[in-house]
Amino acid sequence: MFVGDSLNRGQWLSMVCLLQSVIPAEKRFMSEQAHLTSLRAEEYNASIEFLWAPFLVESNSDDPMGHRLPEKILRPDSNLRHASQWIHADILVFSSYLWWRKGSVKLLWSSEENGVCEEIDGLKGMELAMDAWANWIESNVDPLKKQVFFVTMSPTHLLKQEWEPGKGGNCYDEKLPIKNQTKESNHDLPTMRMVEKILSRLGSKVSVINITHLTALRKDGHPSIYRKFYGKLSLEKLANPSSYSDCIHWCLPGVSDVWNELLFQFL
């Protein structure tokens, strides 16, 4: 089971595409149940699942079709609803990063009855959520029975100046990877250090799949303007392709397949 946001869903889709060619068509079934999507391979008594949980803990964004909300409200001390789904999986692949970069979040503690929310920045909110997640791992994971992975942050290519100083634009019309770059300009180092600190306490219970630097080089791997848009684009936007280029997600086949090749090596 893959657990996380749309980037994690992309990795799940990659895994489905990689595996389905060896599963007879009449013995594979796709099912969607609210925030859980699953490919079932009957012949292997196996399923490859994706659970939508962008903050890992419970939040008002847990509806995969209705998460575009003006406020992000989460319960930093509760992942019970999500954990009830993922506790049954033999292999778990977690990822959470992108949604924490969308500004501040509001916290609604389980002990609060009057609905009062505390507002904090995304990094502090992520640390609280990661801490709750780590507590669950510590209490519920036996590494001899369950394999758990955490995928590190997936960099974006929203600012061309990060790989070509002085240049405007983003990933639009990029056709080649970045070459000979060692500077981690598009890495969120404070977040990476926080995640590393929390993961270090889990020891052998969690394996880290570090995709950050290799992914940072792939400015050419995004869908850019070649993706599905859920609203009609204005003539102004259409005249400026870089204004609506998706420089966050990844094409399939593409970068996410490499992440899964790394996962295969762990397995």
Side-chain angles (χ1 to χ4, degrees):
M1 179 184 285
F2 292 80
V3 181
D5 56 21
S6 55
L7 287 166
N8 201 283
R9 180 169 56 204
Q11 187 175 358
W12 168 78
L13 280 169
S14 162
M15 180 69 79
V16 167
C17 292
L18 290 169
L19 294 181
Q20 68 175 358
S21 63
V22 297
I23 305 172
E26 68 277 8
K27 294 188 177 181
R28 63 176 187 255
F29 307 95
M30 188 74 78
S31 65
E32 295 187 47
Q33 298 177 351
H35 57 311
L36 181 67
T37 309
S38 176
L39 174 70
R40 177 74 183 168
E42 292 293 340
E43 199 168 51
Y44 296 92
N45 189 29
S47 62
I48 305 102
E49 302 179 334
F50 169 70
L51 181 72
W52 173 264
F55 292 111
L56 298 183
V57 294
E58 295 173 29
S59 76
N60 67 340
S61 300
D62 286 342
D63 181 349
M65 302 305 295
H67 58 259
R68 299 177 185 277
L69 304 170
E71 294 182 322
K72 306 300 180 188
I73 303 173
L74 54 132
R75 290 189 178 274
D77 56 347
S78 179
N79 53 26
L80 296 178
R81 183 168 66 242
H82 299 320
S84 67
Q85 300 277 359
W86 73 50
I87 195 171
H88 305 295
D90 299 299
I91 301 167
L92 284 161
V93 183
F94 291 96
S95 177
S96 182
Y97 173 70
L98 181 63
W99 280 55
W100 301 104
R101 301 191 75 182
K102 297 182 178 183
S104 61
V105 296
K106 289 190 174 182
L107 310 180
L108 183 61
W109 299 92
S110 299
S111 58
E112 292 178 344
E113 297 180 359
N114 58 3
V116 174
C117 294
E118 173 189 359
E119 188 169 350
I120 61 174
D121 66 55
L123 176 57
K124 291 179 181 177
M126 184 178 182
E127 186 169 11
L128 288 172
M130 288 290 298
D131 187 64
W133 170 82
N135 289 339
W136 186 92
I137 297 293
E138 287 176 319
S139 301
N140 294 277
V141 170
D142 178 352
L144 297 178
K145 298 179 179 179
K146 189 186 295 287
Q147 289 180 280
V148 179
F149 299 91
F150 192 89
V151 180
T152 61
M153 63 165 273
S154 170
T156 63
H157 293 93
L158 299 169
L159 298 172
K160 191 170 186 175
Q161 64 184 13
E162 292 180 339
W163 63 89
E164 287 189 41
K167 293 290 184 71
N170 52 28
C171 72
Y172 173 68
D173 208 28
E174 293 291 338
K175 298 180 176 66
L176 294 171
I178 298 172
K179 296 181 179 179
N180 304 320
Q181 177 177 315
T182 57
K183 184 181 178 183
E184 298 178 339
S185 58
N186 58 347
H187 296 13
D188 184 342
L189 295 179
T191 299
M192 292 175 67
R193 293 190 186 105
M194 179 275 292
V195 170
E196 183 179 8
K197 180 185 71 173
I198 289 179
L199 292 175
S200 66
R201 85 181 202 223
L202 297 174
S204 62
K205 289 180 180 284
V206 177
S207 297
V208 179
I209 303 178
N210 191 338
I211 55 91
T212 301
H213 188 59
L214 68 88
T215 304
L217 301 177
R218 291 301 309 275
K219 61 183 172 63
D220 60 315
H222 298 284
S224 185
I225 63 174
Y226 305 102
R227 54 156 289 177
K228 178 179 179 179
F229 292 96
Y230 293 92
K232 188 174 181 180
L233 298 173
S234 67
L235 293 177
E236 183 181 6
K237 275 189 172 294
L238 290 171
N240 181 17
S242 65
S243 69
Y244 64 95
S245 291
D246 183 341
C247 300
I248 295 173
H249 299 92
W250 302 98
C251 297
L252 288 176
V255 173
S256 300
D257 298 327
V258 180
W259 302 352
N260 280 324
E261 292 288 352
L262 294 174
L263 175 59
F264 275 130
Q265 295 304 312
F266 276 101
L267 295 174

